[in-house]
Amino acid sequence: MSEFWLISAPSDKENLQALERMNTVTSKSNLSYNTKFSIPDFKVGTLDSLVGLSDELGKLDTFAESLIKRMAQSVVEVMEDSKGKVPENLLANGVDLTSFVTHFEWDMAKYPAKQPLVSVVDTLAKQLAQIETDLKSRTAAYNTLKTNLENLEKKSMGNLFTRTLSDIVSKEDFVLDSEYLVTLLVIVPKPSYAQWQKTYESLSDMVVPRSTKLIAEDNEGGLFTVTLFRKVIDDFKTKAKENKFTVREFYYDEKEIKREREELSRLLSDKKQQYQTSCVALKKGSSTFPDHKVQVTPLGNPDRPAAGQTDRERESEGEGEGPLLRWLKVNFSEAFIAWIHIKALRVFVESVLRYGLPVNFQAVLLQPHKKSSTKRLREVLNSVFRHLDQVAAASVLDVGVCGHPGTAARQPRLLSLRLFPHRPQPARLGAAGPTRPSRPCRLRRRRSFPRLRNPTELRV
C-alpha cells in the first residue's frame, strides 16, 4: 500500500500560485503524485462547536482506524487457505484503496453537506458503531465454530498415546456383545514387536491364542489388539505394564464414533461455507452503502483511471462467496469510505480553526513516489510555503486536537496530514480490537512550517 500526505493551505491567489509551483516541482522531480482533495462547503456553526467537533472527530478517526484493522484481519483469518487473494477482497467501492483515496469525492447523497456538521458526524458515528456491533457477533460465532473444529482436529493429532482411535479402529477389530470375552488395545514400542508376539499369550491366563493383530502404528510404536477373558483384565494390564506395554482405555461404541465423525464433517463444512459457498446468500444489512461512484480532479496529468463500481455490481460478482466473507467485504468497504469522509471533515474543521473565516482553503493529497523521496518532498513544501510564516517566532507550540488558541490560529498555516499503510499482523480473529492499540492521531500547529518535523500520523 501507499503513503499519503494531505495538506491544506489558504486558497487566496498567492497560495494557489504556490500550489501550482509545488505541483510543477514535484512532477518534474518525480517526488509525488498530487490530487485536489475536494471538500464541500459545510455549515460552519460557532467556534465552540468546531472545537468540540475537532475533539470528537479525533476520537472517531481513531475508532474507525481500529475497526478497519480488525475487519482486515478478519478477512485474513477467514481466507487462511487463500491469503494470496486477500488484497482482492479489501476494496473500497469496488476499487483498490489507493485508487479510492486518490479519486475521492464527497458522497452528498449519504452525507448531505447542507446538514449541520454535528449531524454529519453523528451519522458517521452511528454507521461505524453498527458495523462494529455486527462484526462482534459474527466473529464471535465464527470463533466458536473454529474453536470447536480445532478441538476435534486435535483429537486426531498426536501419537497413539493421546490421539483419538475412532478413526483408526473398525468393528471387525473387536469381539463385541460377548459376556465373557473382551478385546483390548495395546501400544507396543517398535523395538518390542518381537517380544510382544512371543509373550502376549503368557502375560496372563485365559488369553485367546493368536488373537493379536497390528492395526496402526506411528514413529514410536504400534497399536495391537488382543482378546482375553474379562475376569483377567486387571492381571493382564499389570503384567503388560511390567513389560513396557501400554493398554489404551477404549470402548468401541459404533453410534458414538459415527456421531463424532459427523460432527467433524459438519464443522469442516460450516467453516468452509463462511469463506465460499454457492447456496448461502447474505441478506443485505441496513448499513449497506447506496450506489456510489468516485471521481478525481488531478492537479497534473497522470495516467490513472477513475474507476467506480456500485454495490449491486459487487454483490452480483460475489454469488459464490460465503456469508461471512461477503459481509466483511461489503462492510470493510463501507467502513473505509466512512473513514476517508471523517478525514475530510477533520481537514475542514482544523483548516477553519487555523485559517479563520470566511472558509477559503484548498486541500491537496500528495502520494510520495518513493519513501526515500519524502525528505526531498518536505524540503519542497518548506520552500514553497515559506511565505505562510509571516510572523517569525522562536518558540514552537504543539497542540492536540482539542486545543486551539484563538488569535494565533487565524494566521495562515499549512496543515499536514499523513496516511501510513498498515499490514495486518497475524492474530486471532476477535471483536476485542487489535492486540496493540494504534497511536492516537495528533494535529500539530507550529508557528513556522519549515520547522514542522512530525505531522499527523495515521495508520491504515
PDB file of all heavy atoms in Angstrom, residues 26-27 36 43 45-46 128 140 158 183 195 212 232 306 322 383-384 419 422 431:
ATOM      1  N   THR A  26       7.280  19.010  -7.897  1.00  0.00           N
ATOM      2  CA  THR A  26       7.159  17.595  -7.537  1.00  0.00           C
ATOM      3  C   THR A  26       6.979  16.714  -8.762  1.00  0.00           C
ATOM      4  O   THR A  26       7.421  15.566  -8.783  1.00  0.00           O
ATOM      5  CB  THR A  26       5.973  17.385  -6.582  1.00  0.00           C
ATOM      6  OG1 THR A  26       4.765  17.899  -7.190  1.00  0.00           O
ATOM      7  CG2 THR A  26       6.204  18.089  -5.255  1.00  0.00           C
ATOM      8  N   SER A  27       6.347  17.252  -9.802  1.00  0.00           N
ATOM      9  CA  SER A  27       6.162  16.484 -11.030  1.00  0.00           C
ATOM     10  C   SER A  27       7.477  16.328 -11.787  1.00  0.00           C
ATOM     11  O   SER A  27       7.827  15.227 -12.229  1.00  0.00           O
ATOM     12  CB  SER A  27       5.111  17.156 -11.921  1.00  0.00           C
ATOM     13  OG  SER A  27       4.961  16.456 -13.139  1.00  0.00           O
ATOM     14  N   LYS A  36      -6.126  17.163  -6.188  1.00  0.00           N
ATOM     15  CA  LYS A  36      -7.014  18.010  -5.390  1.00  0.00           C
ATOM     16  C   LYS A  36      -7.935  17.127  -4.558  1.00  0.00           C
ATOM     17  O   LYS A  36      -8.524  16.180  -5.054  1.00  0.00           O
ATOM     18  CB  LYS A  36      -7.858  18.909  -6.285  1.00  0.00           C
ATOM     19  CG  LYS A  36      -7.079  20.065  -6.917  1.00  0.00           C
ATOM     20  CD  LYS A  36      -8.010  20.960  -7.720  1.00  0.00           C
ATOM     21  CE  LYS A  36      -7.248  22.136  -8.335  1.00  0.00           C
ATOM     22  NZ  LYS A  36      -8.140  22.995  -9.134  1.00  0.00           N
ATOM     23  N   LYS A  43     -21.798  23.886   6.799  1.00  0.00           N
ATOM     24  CA  LYS A  43     -22.264  24.927   7.710  1.00  0.00           C
ATOM     25  C   LYS A  43     -21.297  24.994   8.878  1.00  0.00           C
ATOM     26  O   LYS A  43     -21.146  24.037   9.632  1.00  0.00           O
ATOM     27  CB  LYS A  43     -23.677  24.608   8.208  1.00  0.00           C
ATOM     28  CG  LYS A  43     -24.746  24.677   7.120  1.00  0.00           C
ATOM     29  CD  LYS A  43     -26.125  24.420   7.700  1.00  0.00           C
ATOM     30  CE  LYS A  43     -27.214  24.546   6.619  1.00  0.00           C
ATOM     31  NZ  LYS A  43     -28.569  24.315   7.171  1.00  0.00           N
ATOM     32  N   GLY A  45     -21.086  26.923  11.750  1.00  0.00           N
ATOM     33  CA  GLY A  45     -21.560  26.975  13.126  1.00  0.00           C
ATOM     34  C   GLY A  45     -20.689  27.895  13.963  1.00  0.00           C
ATOM     35  O   GLY A  45     -20.012  28.787  13.454  1.00  0.00           O
ATOM     36  N   THR A  46     -20.660  27.649  15.257  1.00  0.00           N
ATOM     37  CA  THR A  46     -19.911  28.507  16.169  1.00  0.00           C
ATOM     38  C   THR A  46     -18.504  27.950  16.391  1.00  0.00           C
ATOM     39  O   THR A  46     -18.216  26.786  16.107  1.00  0.00           O
ATOM     40  CB  THR A  46     -20.626  28.595  17.527  1.00  0.00           C
ATOM     41  OG1 THR A  46     -20.653  27.282  18.124  1.00  0.00           O
ATOM     42  CG2 THR A  46     -22.052  29.099  17.357  1.00  0.00           C
ATOM     43  N   LEU A 128     -20.590   3.474  11.895  1.00  0.00           N
ATOM     44  CA  LEU A 128     -19.441   2.679  12.320  1.00  0.00           C
ATOM     45  C   LEU A 128     -19.758   1.849  13.562  1.00  0.00           C
ATOM     46  O   LEU A 128     -19.292   0.718  13.698  1.00  0.00           O
ATOM     47  CB  LEU A 128     -18.257   3.607  12.596  1.00  0.00           C
ATOM     48  CG  LEU A 128     -17.662   4.314  11.370  1.00  0.00           C
ATOM     49  CD1 LEU A 128     -16.604   5.316  11.793  1.00  0.00           C
ATOM     50  CD2 LEU A 128     -17.075   3.301  10.396  1.00  0.00           C
ATOM     51  N   ALA A 140     -17.659 -13.608  16.749  1.00  0.00           N
ATOM     52  CA  ALA A 140     -17.836 -14.492  17.905  1.00  0.00           C
ATOM     53  C   ALA A 140     -18.375 -15.847  17.461  1.00  0.00           C
ATOM     54  O   ALA A 140     -17.904 -16.898  17.919  1.00  0.00           O
ATOM     55  CB  ALA A 140     -18.773 -13.843  18.931  1.00  0.00           C
ATOM     56  N   GLY A 158      -1.305 -36.089  17.124  1.00  0.00           N
ATOM     57  CA  GLY A 158      -0.501 -36.636  18.198  1.00  0.00           C
ATOM     58  C   GLY A 158      -0.187 -38.110  17.979  1.00  0.00           C
ATOM     59  O   GLY A 158      -0.476 -38.697  16.930  1.00  0.00           O
ATOM     60  N   THR A 183     -11.935 -57.405  23.896  1.00  0.00           N
ATOM     61  CA  THR A 183     -10.750 -57.070  23.102  1.00  0.00           C
ATOM     62  C   THR A 183     -10.116 -55.793  23.654  1.00  0.00           C
ATOM     63  O   THR A 183     -10.797 -54.779  23.823  1.00  0.00           O
ATOM     64  CB  THR A 183     -11.114 -56.867  21.626  1.00  0.00           C
ATOM     65  OG1 THR A 183     -11.657 -58.079  21.103  1.00  0.00           O
ATOM     66  CG2 THR A 183      -9.875 -56.491  20.808  1.00  0.00           C
ATOM     67  N   GLN A 195       9.129 -59.216  20.922  1.00  0.00           N
ATOM     68  CA  GLN A 195       8.856 -59.641  22.297  1.00  0.00           C
ATOM     69  C   GLN A 195       7.356 -59.766  22.536  1.00  0.00           C
ATOM     70  O   GLN A 195       6.894 -60.705  23.206  1.00  0.00           O
ATOM     71  CB  GLN A 195       9.472 -58.643  23.274  1.00  0.00           C
ATOM     72  CG  GLN A 195       9.237 -58.991  24.745  1.00  0.00           C
ATOM     73  CD  GLN A 195       9.705 -57.892  25.673  1.00  0.00           C
ATOM     74  OE1 GLN A 195      10.287 -56.907  25.230  1.00  0.00           O
ATOM     75  NE2 GLN A 195       9.433 -58.067  26.965  1.00  0.00           N
ATOM     76  N   THR A 212      -3.833 -61.564  18.470  1.00  0.00           N
ATOM     77  CA  THR A 212      -3.269 -60.217  18.308  1.00  0.00           C
ATOM     78  C   THR A 212      -3.168 -59.830  16.838  1.00  0.00           C
ATOM     79  O   THR A 212      -2.960 -60.689  15.966  1.00  0.00           O
ATOM     80  CB  THR A 212      -1.893 -60.102  18.979  1.00  0.00           C
ATOM     81  OG1 THR A 212      -1.509 -58.725  19.010  1.00  0.00           O
ATOM     82  CG2 THR A 212      -0.832 -60.882  18.205  1.00  0.00           C
ATOM     83  N   VAL A 232      -9.760 -61.533  33.691  1.00  0.00           N
ATOM     84  CA  VAL A 232      -8.313 -61.428  33.857  1.00  0.00           C
ATOM     85  C   VAL A 232      -7.784 -60.084  33.312  1.00  0.00           C
ATOM     86  O   VAL A 232      -6.584 -59.931  33.103  1.00  0.00           O
ATOM     87  CB  VAL A 232      -7.582 -62.599  33.170  1.00  0.00           C
ATOM     88  CG1 VAL A 232      -7.972 -63.922  33.820  1.00  0.00           C
ATOM     89  CG2 VAL A 232      -7.852 -62.609  31.679  1.00  0.00           C
ATOM     90  N   ALA A 306     -10.081   6.590 -13.482  1.00  0.00           N
ATOM     91  CA  ALA A 306     -11.064   6.946 -12.454  1.00  0.00           C
ATOM     92  C   ALA A 306     -12.152   5.894 -12.471  1.00  0.00           C
ATOM     93  O   ALA A 306     -13.168   6.032 -13.131  1.00  0.00           O
ATOM     94  CB  ALA A 306     -11.647   8.325 -12.732  1.00  0.00           C
ATOM     95  N   GLY A 322     -18.953 -17.093   0.696  1.00  0.00           N
ATOM     96  CA  GLY A 322     -19.673 -17.411   1.914  1.00  0.00           C
ATOM     97  C   GLY A 322     -20.211 -16.164   2.585  1.00  0.00           C
ATOM     98  O   GLY A 322     -19.765 -15.050   2.304  1.00  0.00           O
ATOM     99  N   SER A 383       9.975  25.102   1.253  1.00  0.00           N
ATOM    100  CA  SER A 383      10.382  26.229   0.412  1.00  0.00           C
ATOM    101  C   SER A 383       9.189  26.934  -0.216  1.00  0.00           C
ATOM    102  O   SER A 383       9.094  28.168  -0.177  1.00  0.00           O
ATOM    103  CB  SER A 383      11.338  25.724  -0.683  1.00  0.00           C
ATOM    104  OG  SER A 383      11.676  26.756  -1.571  1.00  0.00           O
ATOM    105  N   VAL A 384       8.259  26.154  -0.769  1.00  0.00           N
ATOM    106  CA  VAL A 384       7.124  26.734  -1.489  1.00  0.00           C
ATOM    107  C   VAL A 384       6.211  27.521  -0.558  1.00  0.00           C
ATOM    108  O   VAL A 384       5.690  28.578  -0.925  1.00  0.00           O
ATOM    109  CB  VAL A 384       6.342  25.625  -2.221  1.00  0.00           C
ATOM    110  CG1 VAL A 384       5.035  26.178  -2.794  1.00  0.00           C
ATOM    111  CG2 VAL A 384       7.191  25.020  -3.339  1.00  0.00           C
ATOM    112  N   LEU A 419      -1.146   9.688   5.850  1.00  0.00           N
ATOM    113  CA  LEU A 419      -1.767   8.364   5.940  1.00  0.00           C
ATOM    114  C   LEU A 419      -0.683   7.335   5.689  1.00  0.00           C
ATOM    115  O   LEU A 419      -0.081   7.317   4.619  1.00  0.00           O
ATOM    116  CB  LEU A 419      -2.849   8.197   4.870  1.00  0.00           C
ATOM    117  CG  LEU A 419      -4.088   9.061   4.993  1.00  0.00           C
ATOM    118  CD1 LEU A 419      -4.942   8.904   3.769  1.00  0.00           C
ATOM    119  CD2 LEU A 419      -4.858   8.678   6.229  1.00  0.00           C
ATOM    120  N   HIS A 422      -0.670   0.045   6.587  1.00  0.00           N
ATOM    121  CA  HIS A 422      -0.585  -0.906   7.697  1.00  0.00           C
ATOM    122  C   HIS A 422      -0.834  -2.298   7.147  1.00  0.00           C
ATOM    123  O   HIS A 422      -1.779  -2.524   6.421  1.00  0.00           O
ATOM    124  CB  HIS A 422      -1.626  -0.603   8.770  1.00  0.00           C
ATOM    125  CG  HIS A 422      -1.720  -1.672   9.824  1.00  0.00           C
ATOM    126  ND1 HIS A 422      -0.821  -1.781  10.860  1.00  0.00           N
ATOM    127  CD2 HIS A 422      -2.586  -2.695   9.956  1.00  0.00           C
ATOM    128  CE1 HIS A 422      -1.158  -2.826  11.603  1.00  0.00           C
ATOM    129  NE2 HIS A 422      -2.217  -3.385  11.083  1.00  0.00           N
ATOM    130  N   ALA A 431     -13.378  -9.702  18.419  1.00  0.00           N
ATOM    131  CA  ALA A 431     -14.046  -8.404  18.442  1.00  0.00           C
ATOM    132  C   ALA A 431     -13.492  -7.496  19.517  1.00  0.00           C
ATOM    133  O   ALA A 431     -13.991  -6.416  19.731  1.00  0.00           O
ATOM    134  CB  ALA A 431     -15.544  -8.607  18.667  1.00  0.00           C
TER     135      ALA A 431
END
